[in-house]
Amino acid sequence: MKIRIYTEIEIKELKNNIFIKDILYQRQIKYEPIFKLWTIMMRLEYPGLSAKEIFEIAGINTKILHPKLPQRRIKEWLDNYKKYGLSYFLPEESSYSTLSTNNSREVDFKNGLYSYVIERLKRHNDY
């Protein structure tokens, strides 16, 4: 697989955008956390917009980028948001963990099953 290296002119244009923190190794774009959160919000509130359109609204020249880059980044950020929540994107000094997935239907099912089994066992003791 070939690696996309940005030219000095492209790097300068990308760095002029307020949502781009830095370009590492002339190929890796480092985005501001607020941009990541904003793209997630845009994806959730305006599902009709493409990832490319969201990046363009933010003022990023998508002609410089690989055609799939906006789509891949927004998907990655949205997946991390769904899995870890807002704290994943907050300053790096704080920690994050997987969101609790307490499924109330599962708890109701277990409680119902527990009650059913107890009642059935009580009937066996009555014989």
Side-chain angles (χ1 to χ4, degrees):
M1 179 189 324
K2 292 185 178 182
I3 296 174
R4 169 71 161 100
I5 303 292
Y6 297 109
T7 66
E8 291 300 320
I9 295 168
E10 292 170 333
I11 291 172
K12 185 176 179 180
E13 182 177 347
L14 289 169
K15 281 186 171 183
N16 280 336
N17 188 288
I18 62 168
F19 295 122
I20 295 179
K21 196 184 271 190
D22 200 6
I23 309 292
L24 306 175
Y25 316 111
Q26 293 183 302
R27 68 177 188 267
Q28 184 180 359
I29 301 173
K30 192 168 183 178
Y31 302 93
E32 292 286 345
I34 190 65
F35 176 67
K36 296 175 184 180
L37 291 170
W38 179 79
T39 59
I40 292 167
M41 180 202 71
M42 292 295 286
R43 171 60 74 215
L44 295 173
E45 291 189 6
Y46 304 100
L49 288 176
S50 70
K52 184 178 178 179
E53 290 172 328
I54 292 172
F55 267 55
E56 288 173 350
I57 290 169
I60 296 174
N61 183 355
T62 57
K63 294 174 186 169
I64 296 173
L65 308 175
H66 184 281
K68 294 273 185 187
L69 184 74
Q71 179 184 359
R72 289 178 184 159
R73 291 297 168 260
I74 292 176
K75 182 187 180 327
E76 176 188 348
W77 298 333
L78 187 58
D79 289 346
N80 286 330
Y81 176 75
K82 288 178 179 177
K83 186 172 183 179
Y84 302 113
L86 187 63
S87 60
Y88 179 84
F89 300 94
L90 296 180
E92 296 174 5
E93 298 87 44
S94 61
S95 60
Y96 67 91
S97 60
T98 306
L99 294 175
S100 174
T101 56
N102 185 4
N103 189 341
S104 62
R105 290 189 310 187
E106 183 178 313
V107 171
D108 291 343
F109 172 75
K110 286 181 181 178
N111 288 339
L113 181 61
Y114 180 76
S115 299
Y116 176 76
V117 170
I118 296 297
E119 286 300 315
R120 295 291 292 209
L121 288 174
K122 284 182 183 177
R123 287 187 198 168
H124 284 286
N125 286 339
D126 289 344
Y127 291 118

